Amino acid sequence: MDTAYHNPELLKRGKAPQRYRGVTYIRPIDAAKAAVPVIDLADRLTGPCGLRRRGAEWVGHCPLPDHEDKSPSFAANAEKNVWYCHGCHRGGDVVALARLAWGYSEREAHIAAAELLMEFGHELPNRPKAWYRKRERQVNIRNAIEETKKGIVRRRLFRHLILPLIDTIEDEDERNRELERAWADFERLTA
Ligand SMILES: [Zn+2]
């Protein structure tokens, strides 16, 4: 857990490059921290009028999906560029907020950082391959679900609309030929 918000020592240390797995991960994380202010992401996550000014801080309901925040426990400090939630006791920099808000693990911080950069219209410093792979997998699964649903609808329509017509053909061979042709046509036309 990152408690940089309350601990000035940690805050200072946070400025030094952190160790992540692999050199390529560091760049999107550092780039996101430099490009996206904590307050901008907090503002987007909490929605319009989600944050109110209280002294040096902006306070609102915690935007993290696993914290049902009844009282406004979330605070972001624009000057220090950090956030902390007094309800779920989590805090840190903009990448930590993005990661927790979008459900990425600590090892996936670089993916959250890349998404953060894209979300706020910044160029990616390099290509985080894992992010693309993950995106691609999600798109493939969505497409597969759509195709499966289409197939079910298509077969049901065929059974109810077309089959009764073919069933009236008395000759079995002709009926089977017609069935094949009709299904091929139907599949092509409803694709
Ligand atoms: Zn919270």
Side-chain angles (χ1 to χ4, degrees):
M1 203 178 298
D2 193 349
T3 50
Y5 183 78
H6 270 351
N7 187 330
E9 271 315 300
L10 277 177
L11 200 65
K12 259 185 255 158
R13 222 186 299 160
K15 294 217 166 70
Q18 290 179 44
R19 280 196 292 126
Y20 291 95
R21 286 157 178 261
V23 181
T24 54
Y25 293 179
I26 296 169
R27 276 204 247 149
I29 289 169
D30 284 346
K33 281 193 214 169
V36 185
V38 160
I39 198 77
D40 286 7
L41 177 62
D43 201 44
R44 186 169 298 195
L45 292 173
T46 52
C49 309
L51 293 174
R52 275 159 207 280
R53 186 155 208 140
R54 192 183 291 166
E57 295 181 333
W58 290 87
V59 175
H61 290 281
C62 180
L64 301 183
D66 55 353
H67 178 199
E68 225 179 285
D69 189 15
K70 299 250 166 28
S71 60
S73 313
F74 178 86
N77 189 311
E79 202 191 307
K80 292 178 185 160
N81 206 23
V82 289
W83 64 279
Y84 188 79
C85 176
H86 298 271
C88 59
H89 304 289
R90 286 176 288 187
D93 57 36
V94 70
V95 173
L97 182 57
R99 188 173 73 65
L100 292 166
W102 297 332
Y104 290 104
S105 72
E106 219 160 317
R107 284 182 53 192
E108 295 172 321
H110 60 294
I111 306 174
E115 190 156 343
L116 192 56
L117 286 168
M118 291 183 50
E119 187 75 24
F120 284 84
H122 297 288
E123 290 284 319
L124 291 180
N126 57 7
R127 255 180 287 156
K129 292 203 177 70
W131 183 82
Y132 285 107
R133 276 202 301 274
K134 193 167 179 153
R135 265 289 149 104
E136 209 176 304
R137 267 204 308 277
Q138 284 167 341
V139 168
N140 285 344
I141 289 167
R142 268 204 303 274
N143 289 345
I145 291 168
E146 276 312 301
E147 276 308 304
T148 308
K149 282 202 298 207
K150 258 199 260 172
I152 292 168
V153 170
R154 198 183 284 154
R155 284 191 297 275
R156 287 180 63 117
L157 283 175
F158 187 79
R159 195 157 59 234
H160 290 291
L161 299 175
I162 313 295
L163 264 191
L165 301 174
I166 295 168
D167 275 344
T168 61
I169 301 170
E170 276 178 22
D171 182 79
E172 199 185 326
D173 285 343
E174 200 192 328
R175 195 165 63 230
N176 285 339
R177 269 200 308 277
E178 196 50 53
L179 184 64
E180 263 172 48
R181 267 201 301 256
W183 175 244
D185 284 349
F186 194 77
E187 219 179 9
R188 181 167 50 82
L189 294 170
T190 55

